[in-house]
Amino acid sequence: MNKCAVVQHILKAYSKEPKREQGTFFAPSNIALCKYWGKRDTELNLPHTSSLSISLGNLGAKTTIALEQALKDRISINGKEVDEDSIFSKNLSHFLDLFRPLNSVFFRVATEVNIPIGAGLASSACGFAAVVGALDQLYGWELPLSLLSILGRLGSGSASRSFWHGFVEWQAGHDADGMDSAGACLESVWPALRIGVLIVDSEQKKLSSRIAMQNTVLTSPFYKIWPEKQARDLKDLKKAIEKQDFMALGETTESNALAMHALMLTTSPPILYSQASTLEAIDKIWHYRQLGLPLYFTQDAGPNLKLLFLEKDEEAIIKIFPKLIVVSPFNIGAFQC
Ligand code: DP6
């Protein structure tokens, strides 16, 4: 099945004409505590395993979409027009092809992102989620978030988790068309939880996670044990969240990220996102943890780290990492999952 067939299936009973002049939607960025790494269907971004993330509160992307009287899409980020020949523009226009009322209709897409550039904060996740949410507003579909999550996934897998605040689980599902592979939020609220973004290197990653994870699936001799590790970690993380057991949350999150990076190292050719500065930071985290500070990390497809700690230790941790960007995931007014 291809993306177009999935979109047609979801939208068959909905309007093909815009209901409003423009649609606007905010989607938070998300960090996986239990990672998504490997697809069973590369066209529909269907994962081999379920994953679990925490959304980053007010950090994310806000997108406004309107129809454009022109011969091409006009795309801007933070007020700056994006070159139509850039990979970013091409990917987004290709995704928008799925939602044009006619092939000859184009969009104006204006996105404001407030996440630190180069931090590896899954900008494609909140970016695609915000685009899908803005299209929902523009066309007046009013789809449930679970269906928006499926549409977002067609742009980027991790976008399926960017439609909610708080903890979000993306169920891998089994269906070939992916209609059972969507995000859903957990009810739990953990106001004292903090995420710290530690930028150790702001250079663009050399290998996209899309290509890297596919190479891992195809060549790592250890990929066959990944689903088992994932199932156990997911269960442990949900239990830790339910009991607000921070040590269990930190230990499982860190172990899950290290296992994903171990898979990458055993890929052929090997994939290494860490820099010397990444390892130095990990060493520091482990050193302070040994001294009794409850501090853990996770790492995605890049050299930067995201730290996990509690509000009570914020001051001490900022002393160790003065440039840390601290996020309070639940400090977003009335929490509604
Ligand atoms: C390491 O969602 O960017 O951040 O589906 O190919 O767009 P595509 O991949 P993407 O991969 C994210 C990988 C990760 C782990 C995660 O967010 O779960």
Side-chain angles (χ1 to χ4, degrees):
M1 197 168 217
N2 64 23
K3 286 181 186 166
C4 198
V6 173
V7 172
Q8 277 174 8
H9 172 69
I10 292 176
L11 296 177
K12 59 180 180 287
Y14 291 90
S15 162
K16 288 181 180 52
E17 292 301 324
K19 192 177 164 193
R20 303 185 176 90
E21 285 269 299
Q22 59 179 47
T24 299
F25 190 82
F26 170 79
S29 187
N30 76 78
I31 301 293
L33 306 178
C34 185
K35 306 293 185 190
Y36 146 56
W37 197 252
K39 307 177 194 197
R40 63 183 161 90
D41 183 321
T42 52
E43 162 77 11
L44 303 180
N45 294 331
L46 293 175
H48 275 295
T49 63
S50 300
S51 57
L52 189 137
S53 61
I54 176 84
S55 288
L56 293 188
N58 300 322
L59 288 188
K62 185 173 165 194
T63 292
T64 298
I65 297 192
L67 292 191
E68 170 80 354
Q69 302 293 345
L71 296 173
K72 55 184 181 354
D73 297 319
R74 236 177 62 204
I75 298 166
S76 69
I77 300 181
N78 292 346
K80 254 178 90 180
E81 293 268 324
V82 180
D83 179 4
E84 62 177 292
D85 293 325
S86 65
I87 297 177
F88 177 87
S89 272
K90 284 186 175 157
N91 283 347
L92 183 52
S93 284
H94 191 56
F95 182 67
L96 289 169
D97 288 346
L98 298 166
F99 303 98
R100 300 184 200 282
L102 293 167
N103 284 346
S104 55
V105 171
F106 294 91
F107 296 102
R108 177 163 42 82
V109 185
T111 296
E112 301 289 328
V113 280
N114 61 1
I115 48 183
I117 307 283
L121 275 184
S123 48
S124 72
C126 60
F128 278 106
V131 164
V132 164
L135 286 167
D136 180 69
Q137 292 293 316
L138 175 72
Y139 285 106
W141 300 324
E142 296 179 16
L143 292 176
L145 291 178
S146 56
L147 287 180
L148 292 184
S149 166
I150 290 175
L151 294 177
R153 164 171 54 73
L154 300 177
S156 180
S158 48
S160 66
R161 301 183 307 237
S162 266
F163 289 90
W164 296 267
H165 286 292
F167 297 106
V168 179
E169 181 178 355
W170 170 17
Q171 288 280 352
H174 301 285
D175 296 350
D177 63 2
M179 289 308 291
D180 59 350
S181 183
C185 68
L186 309 188
E187 297 280 333
S188 306
V189 174
W190 197 336
L193 187 67
R194 295 288 179 272
I195 306 289
V197 181
L198 185 64
I199 303 177
V200 298
D201 183 321
S202 56
E203 254 185 50
Q204 280 274 320
K205 62 184 165 193
K206 289 172 192 77
L207 183 64
S208 75
S209 39
R210 186 156 296 189
I211 293 170
M213 69 170 82
Q214 187 57 8
N215 287 352
T216 301
V217 174
L218 295 175
T219 66
S220 170
F222 300 107
Y223 195 74
K224 55 179 177 298
I225 55 172
W226 175 245
E228 199 186 303
K229 161 89 178 144
Q230 283 287 90
R232 210 173 39 241
D233 286 355
L234 187 61
K235 202 166 133 228
D236 290 350
L237 281 170
K238 284 165 81 171
K239 209 191 302 167
I241 291 168
E242 206 186 298
K243 292 188 177 161
Q244 305 232 327
D245 179 345
F246 180 70
M247 261 169 69
L249 182 90
E251 264 162 31
T252 310
T253 298
E254 198 171 290
S255 155
N256 188 267
L258 288 169
M260 177 181 75
H261 285 272
L263 283 182
M264 294 180 193
L265 289 173
T266 57
T267 295
S268 177
I271 303 159
L272 178 64
Y273 283 113
S274 295
Q275 297 284 331
S277 50
T278 314
L279 301 182
E280 264 168 41
I282 291 176
D283 202 44
K284 220 165 164 180
I285 291 165
W286 285 345
H287 169 73
Y288 282 98
R289 197 154 82 220
Q290 241 175 6
L291 296 179
L293 187 67
L295 173 64
Y296 298 86
F297 71 89
T298 185
Q299 182 186 358
D300 292 304
N304 299 316
L305 300 178
K306 288 93 189 191
L307 311 190
L308 270 78
F309 54 94
L310 293 173
E311 184 183 16
K312 68 177 175 56
D313 298 313
E314 189 170 326
E315 228 179 279
I317 287 163
I318 288 180
K319 276 203 186 113
I320 302 166
F321 297 107
K323 289 189 183 145
L324 195 69
I325 301 160
V326 179
V327 181
S328 307
F330 292 93
N331 193 3
I332 41 169
F335 174 78
Q336 208 192 351
C337 113

